Amino acid sequence: MKPVKVAICGLGTVGGGVFNVLLRNASEIARRAGRPIVVEQVATRTANPNCDTSSVYVSPEVMDVIENPEIDVVVELIGGYDAAYELVMKAIASGKHVVTANKALIAVYGNEIFHAAREAGVIVAFEASVAGGIPIIKSIREGLTANKINWVAGIINGTGNFILTSMNDHGSDFAEVLAEAQELGYAEADPTFDVEGIDAAHKLAILSAIAFGVPLSFDKVYTEGITRIDVEDIRQADALGYAIKHLGITRRTDKGLELRVHPTLIPKERLLANVNGVMNAVMVSGDAVGPTLYYGAGAGAEPTASAVIADLVDVAREMGAEPDSRVPYLAFAEQADDMPVLPMEEIETAYYLRLLAVDRPGVLARVATILSDHGISIEAIIQKDILEGELVPIILLTHTTRESAMNDVIRELESLADIAGGVMRIRVESLEDQ
Amino acid sequence: MKPVKVAICGLGTVGGGVFNVLLRNASEIARRAGRPIVVEQVATRTANPNCDTSSVYVSPEVMDVIENPEIDVVVELIGGYDAAYELVMKAIASGKHVVTANKALIAVYGNEIFHAAREAGVIVAFEASVAGGIPIIKSIREGLTANKINWVAGIINGTGNFILTSMNDHGSDFAEVLAEAQELGYAEADPTFDVEGIDAAHKLAILSAIAFGVPLSFDKVYTEGITRIDVEDIRQADALGYAIKHLGITRRTDKGLELRVHPTLIPKERLLANVNGVMNAVMVSGDAVGPTLYYGAGAGAEPTASAVIADLVDVAREMGAEPDSRVPYLAFAEQADDMPVLPMEEIETAYYLRLLAVDRPGVLARVATILSDHGISIEAIIQKDILEGELVPIILLTHTTRESAMNDVIRELESLADIAGGVMRIRVESLEDQ
């Protein structure tokens, strides 16, 4: 069969990985795809010292690939919004298929991009946009296609997981570990996207859309980072049988969809609690299959290339097919409009609270009364020995309740004269079907 | 688009699950597949009390479905070899696509079946044949298509994993736990297929073929069961930082493919070591993606139905496409013939040995000398306190060596006057790329 000709736009870490793996494994890939996949053009202004591009046409101008009639598939690996958006929309308009690893682009402009692609009859594939080399989009869109998905919960930001793992393993502070992560190249100079959960929110928006058949709703993701997590919380959680992980969670409820990124206590015996360092893992629970988990490298040149090239092979197979026979961009031929995203106040979960009490008789009773007044059952309450001066840490684990009730409780707790400073609140998930 | 019409052959556990999930999730599945998937006929002699078949055509004769011109896809869920083989080959000959969950059929007759299917231009899909609801075949064939696979290692028999987990958790004997598993319905009255590793060998033969692009070679799988594992081994492994799991392992080496099912010590910190009870999980390591893992229910009505229906949706999408554009049956358009399966004597791994020594001075030195004479380095050697009479258990962990050398060592050890009875040998795998 005729080779598929691709243009790699952007030859940074991921672009370089795609270029090298396509060359190194060319014969293996051709044997699998049933036809060769050939790099016809590379668009980049800066050479990648890891790539020998001497035998391929390299152009400095990324938009050049649109004019090249030989190109079947544009591989967008330049990242960011503006130029990437322009490139993708122009590729679609000129009838070229698109493969991208750009989670921000898909999460924010995906609805528009897929609309244009549908009109033009071209494929836009984005496996590499979530969890790097793990074939999580394929697994949800195709592998679990028989299921009504109940929930998805994942460690989908390697930087955040590296930081939490190191804090746990070495008992170090957030700031200290962040500096180490930056030195190792696991965190950017400006780590906001990773540690504040924005990157995870991009990915979660994509996972939620393909799991539940709803439009992409990045602007509705509740997003909380890991910067406030203290080593003390990791220690207390551990003593209670939990690990703290930064999770993206989306769940179908009778009232609507939960869509949230935040630090989470999960039972240590769950596989997800044992996913450490920069690794990613996503749990998906379906009504037929039950809980499943997918684990692997969430970033890096070649793991991400693995996902980009899997998309290229899919495009090679599907480009000749009727558009109606292809896997729908967001998993469903039509999106549902009866599943609104729930405001954070309406989600239901369990909670870990850590507060510092003035060591006066009756403080524990006053704390417990406030929770009871709001109908919240306490699973565990632990009053620790005095650490310094008269302040006593109190640790609480609650049963499932509504976030709005917990907000009220925290407001009342913080207004108690017995309580010094703010209340640390971390949500708790059992990761079991309820 | 036109509905896809299927015949479900066999309405036992899995057939009933497929029937029920197809009905319950019909609208979700149609929205994903882009067209309805309709049960046109059920072939069964015995009713399934969990299924309301009042609105569907039920025939007692399974071969009837071949004569039904309405049927697009035959779903073979009768199991076993003879009738299943006849049904599948007749379906192919009459131009019908086939979906099967029958690992034994595919492992033993797959090469022949796929040859016939290729000639007839029909699809034969078998996701449910390995690891139940986990989309492992799709993940390897499509999700990791960019990779040269290095190795695959999996817990692919839930019965065996339940038994080893229970032995570990409760310190019970194999026989005791097997009886419990039989009571719970996790093990058959005749448990041979599960506990002797034959079922796992069927699945491993399939995984190896799709990972490496070689023909199915069930007859070349080295197969060792779990019946000889003693609680004492589980305890000793635990103390050394290992769990014992019954793994299927296939690995690409310079000299050929390893293809083996046996109990294995793996480091406790690996995710695979934490996969417990009847759950399955498969690790796949590729040259680009690195190590990945897929976890879920390996059996049961609805998890298996999840995989069968995923295949049906793939068939619905691919049946209109050119055969050359479909995913190849065994992942590669052409099979490689330059990767022979290595005889077990030529594989290389590390070993755990447990022996009972007569407590005489110098026995440890004599044991160590035998290993050293065969060029085998010892990682750990532990001589335990006396348990009964004069017999002292000695536990050894070796570095990687060749199986043939270890066979010689064990023969020499067993011939020593110092050693009572046989030597227990369990292979040890780090599950890291080497």
Side-chain angles (χ1 to χ4, degrees), chain B residues 100-274:
Chain B
T100 178
N102 192 330
K103 61 219 89 170
L105 182 72
I106 296 296
V108 176
Y109 296 107
N111 296 325
E112 188 185 336
I113 288 169
F114 298 136
H115 179 79
R118 195 174 296 115
E119 299 288 302
V122 300
I123 302 165
V124 175
F126 50 99
E127 177 65 78
S129 68
V130 181
I134 307 171
I136 186 63
I137 289 178
K138 180 174 283 285
S139 293
I140 298 177
R141 285 204 313 194
E142 302 174 43
L144 304 184
T145 199
N147 292 267
K148 280 205 187 82
I149 304 294
N150 299 319
W151 51 268
V152 178
I155 297 172
I156 45 182
N157 180 277
T159 308
N161 201 42
F162 174 85
I163 291 174
L164 289 178
T165 303
S166 290
M167 286 174 71
N168 177 67
D169 292 353
H170 311 303
S172 322
D173 278 347
F174 174 81
E176 198 178 323
V177 176
L178 173 61
E180 186 198 345
Q182 285 168 322
E183 247 171 67
L184 289 167
Y186 292 154
E188 310 277 340
D190 176 359
T192 312
F193 252 54
D194 293 318
V195 300
E196 296 295 358
I198 303 158
D199 175 75
H202 284 142
K203 295 164 178 168
L204 183 68
I206 297 172
L207 289 176
S208 184
I210 63 169
F212 301 116
V214 294
L216 291 154
S217 307
F218 168 67
D219 55 336
K220 292 179 187 150
V221 182
Y222 171 83
T223 306
E224 188 181 308
I226 56 172
T227 55
R228 289 176 57 236
I229 298 292
D230 196 286
V231 178
E232 178 65 11
D233 295 312
I234 294 176
R235 235 181 261 131
Q236 297 289 0
D238 184 73
L240 289 161
Y242 293 85
I244 300 182
K245 293 292 181 185
H246 198 200
L247 297 189
I249 299 170
T250 181
R251 187 192 313 265
R252 179 205 299 265
T253 76
D254 291 342
K255 284 167 284 170
L257 289 183
E258 299 184 358
L259 193 58
R260 45 192 172 103
V261 170
H262 53 67
T264 316
L265 268 73
I266 57 178
K268 277 197 278 188
E269 64 270 23
R270 297 281 176 279
L271 284 189
L272 208 52
N274 297 289

Side-chain angles (χ1 to χ4, degrees), chain A residues 229-313:
Chain A
I229 298 292
D230 196 286
V231 178
E232 178 66 10
D233 295 311
I234 294 176
R235 234 179 261 133
Q236 297 290 358
D238 184 73
L240 289 160
Y242 292 85
I244 300 182
K245 292 292 181 185
H246 198 201
L247 298 189
I249 300 171
T250 181
R251 187 193 312 267
R252 179 204 298 265
T253 77
D254 291 342
K255 285 166 285 172
L257 288 185
E258 299 183 358
L259 195 56
R260 47 192 172 103
V261 171
H262 54 66
T264 316
L265 269 74
I266 57 177
K268 277 196 280 188
E269 64 268 24
R270 297 282 175 278
L271 284 191
L272 208 51
N274 296 290
V275 171
N276 292 321
V278 293
M279 299 304 278
N280 280 200
V282 181
M283 283 191 79
V284 185
S285 175
D287 69 336
V289 76
T292 60
L293 178 139
Y294 311 83
Y295 163 92
E302 294 214 348
T304 311
S306 173
V308 168
I309 297 169
D311 275 348
L312 284 172
V313 172

Side-chain angles (χ1 to χ4, degrees), chain B residues 399-419:
Chain B
H399 286 283
T400 297
T401 186
R402 185 186 280 247
E403 177 95 358
S404 58
M406 183 50 65
N407 290 343
D408 293 342
V409 162
I410 289 176
R411 214 171 298 123
E412 292 185 31
L413 286 175
E414 290 181 344
S415 72
L416 278 184
D418 297 318
I419 302 298

Side-chain angles (χ1 to χ4, degrees), chain A residues 1 21 24-25 28-35 132-135 138-149 210-214 252 269 271-272 274-275 279 281 283 287-297 302-307 309-311 313-314 316-318 320-321 324-328 331-336 339, chain B residues 1 21 24-25 28-35 132-135 138-149 210-214 252 269 271-272 274-275 279 281 283 287-297 302-307 309-311 313-314 316-318 320-321 324-328 331-336 339:
Chain A
M1 294 215 298
V21 176
R24 186 177 75 224
N25 290 354
E28 195 104 353
I29 293 167
R31 279 174 64 219
R32 288 178 182 267
R35 53 166 87 181
I134 308 171
K138 181 174 282 286
S139 293
I140 299 177
R141 285 204 312 195
E142 303 174 43
L144 304 182
T145 198
N147 292 265
K148 280 204 186 81
I149 304 295
I210 63 171
F212 300 117
V214 294
R252 179 204 298 265
E269 64 268 24
L271 284 191
L272 208 51
N274 296 290
V275 171
M279 299 304 278
M283 283 191 79
D287 69 336
V289 76
T292 60
L293 178 139
Y294 311 83
Y295 163 92
E302 294 214 348
T304 311
S306 173
I309 297 169
D311 275 348
V313 172
D314 278 352
R317 288 209 181 95
E318 292 194 333
D324 279 355
S325 290
R326 296 172 186 157
V327 181
F332 292 79
E334 283 165 38
Q335 257 109 47
M339 272 192 287
Chain B
M1 294 217 295
V21 175
R24 187 177 76 225
N25 291 352
E28 195 104 355
I29 292 166
R31 278 175 64 218
R32 287 179 182 266
R35 54 166 85 180
I134 307 171
K138 180 174 283 285
S139 293
I140 298 177
R141 285 204 313 194
E142 302 174 43
L144 304 184
T145 199
N147 292 267
K148 280 205 187 82
I149 304 294
I210 63 169
F212 301 116
V214 294
R252 179 205 299 265
E269 64 270 23
L271 284 189
L272 208 52
N274 297 289
V275 170
M279 300 304 279
M283 282 191 80
D287 69 336
V289 76
T292 60
L293 178 139
Y294 311 83
Y295 162 91
E302 295 215 348
T304 311
S306 173
I309 296 169
D311 274 349
V313 172
D314 278 353
R317 287 210 181 95
E318 292 194 333
D324 280 354
S325 292
R326 297 172 186 157
V327 181
F332 292 78
E334 282 165 39
Q335 257 108 46
M339 273 192 287

Side-chain angles (χ1 to χ4, degrees), chain A residues 35 97 123 315-323 326, chain B residues 321-322 325:
Chain A
R35 53 166 87 181
H97 304 289
I123 302 166
V315 170
R317 288 209 181 95
E318 292 194 333
M319 56 195 278
E322 287 300 309
R326 296 172 186 157
Chain B
E322 287 300 309
S325 292

Side-chain angles (χ1 to χ4, degrees), chain A residues 94-433:
Chain A
S94 55
K96 296 184 191 304
H97 304 289
V98 173
V99 172
T100 177
N102 193 329
K103 59 220 91 170
L105 182 73
I106 295 296
V108 175
Y109 296 107
N111 296 325
E112 188 186 335
I113 288 169
F114 299 136
H115 179 78
R118 196 174 296 115
E119 300 287 304
V122 300
I123 302 166
V124 175
F126 50 100
E127 177 66 78
S129 68
V130 181
I134 308 171
I136 186 62
I137 289 178
K138 181 174 282 286
S139 293
I140 299 177
R141 285 204 312 195
E142 303 174 43
L144 304 182
T145 198
N147 292 265
K148 280 204 186 81
I149 304 295
N150 299 319
W151 51 267
V152 178
I155 296 172
I156 46 182
N157 180 276
T159 308
N161 200 42
F162 174 84
I163 291 174
L164 289 178
T165 303
S166 290
M167 287 175 71
N168 177 68
D169 291 353
H170 311 303
S172 323
D173 279 346
F174 173 82
E176 196 178 326
V177 175
L178 174 60
E180 186 198 344
Q182 285 169 321
E183 247 171 67
L184 289 167
Y186 292 155
E188 311 275 342
D190 176 358
T192 312
F193 252 53
D194 292 318
V195 300
E196 295 296 358
I198 302 158
D199 175 75
H202 284 142
K203 294 163 179 169
L204 184 68
I206 297 171
L207 289 174
S208 184
I210 63 171
F212 300 117
V214 294
L216 291 154
S217 307
F218 168 67
D219 55 336
K220 291 178 186 149
V221 182
Y222 171 83
T223 306
E224 189 180 306
I226 57 171
T227 55
R228 288 176 58 236
I229 298 292
D230 196 286
V231 178
E232 178 66 10
D233 295 311
I234 294 176
R235 234 179 261 133
Q236 297 290 358
D238 184 73
L240 289 160
Y242 292 85
I244 300 182
K245 292 292 181 185
H246 198 201
L247 298 189
I249 300 171
T250 181
R251 187 193 312 267
R252 179 204 298 265
T253 77
D254 291 342
K255 285 166 285 172
L257 288 185
E258 299 183 358
L259 195 56
R260 47 192 172 103
V261 171
H262 54 66
T264 316
L265 269 74
I266 57 177
K268 277 196 280 188
E269 64 268 24
R270 297 282 175 278
L271 284 191
L272 208 51
N274 296 290
V275 171
N276 292 321
V278 293
M279 299 304 278
N280 280 200
V282 181
M283 283 191 79
V284 185
S285 175
D287 69 336
V289 76
T292 60
L293 178 139
Y294 311 83
Y295 163 92
E302 294 214 348
T304 311
S306 173
V308 168
I309 297 169
D311 275 348
L312 284 172
V313 172
D314 278 352
V315 170
R317 288 209 181 95
E318 292 194 333
M319 56 195 278
E322 287 300 309
D324 279 355
S325 290
R326 296 172 186 157
V327 181
Y329 307 100
L330 291 174
F332 292 79
E334 283 165 38
Q335 257 109 47
D337 49 15
D338 57 347
M339 272 192 287
V341 175
L342 288 174
M344 193 59 188
E345 293 69 35
E346 292 181 31
I347 71 120
E348 294 188 353
T349 184
Y351 295 86
Y352 157 101
L353 302 179
R354 179 169 56 84
L355 23 124
L356 280 177
V358 181
D359 190 21
R360 271 202 291 250
V363 57
L364 215 60
R366 279 187 290 280
V367 167
T369 304
I370 290 176
L371 274 97
S372 144
D373 285 350
H374 287 84
I376 300 173
S377 323
I378 295 170
E379 188 181 313
I381 184 162
I382 298 164
Q383 186 165 343
K384 291 278 168 183
D385 291 342
I386 295 176
L387 284 184
E388 49 180 58
E390 295 179 279
L391 295 180
V392 185
I394 296 177
I395 310 296
L396 276 159
L397 272 187
T398 76
H399 286 282
T400 297
T401 185
R402 183 187 282 248
E403 177 96 357
S404 57
M406 184 49 67
N407 290 342
D408 293 342
V409 162
I410 289 175
R411 214 170 299 123
E412 291 184 33
L413 287 174
E414 291 182 342
S415 71
L416 278 185
D418 297 317
I419 303 297
V423 172
M424 182 66 186
R425 169 241 311 264
I426 310 179
R427 295 166 191 91
V428 181
E429 292 286 338
S430 70
L431 301 178
E432 284 180 320
D433 287 309

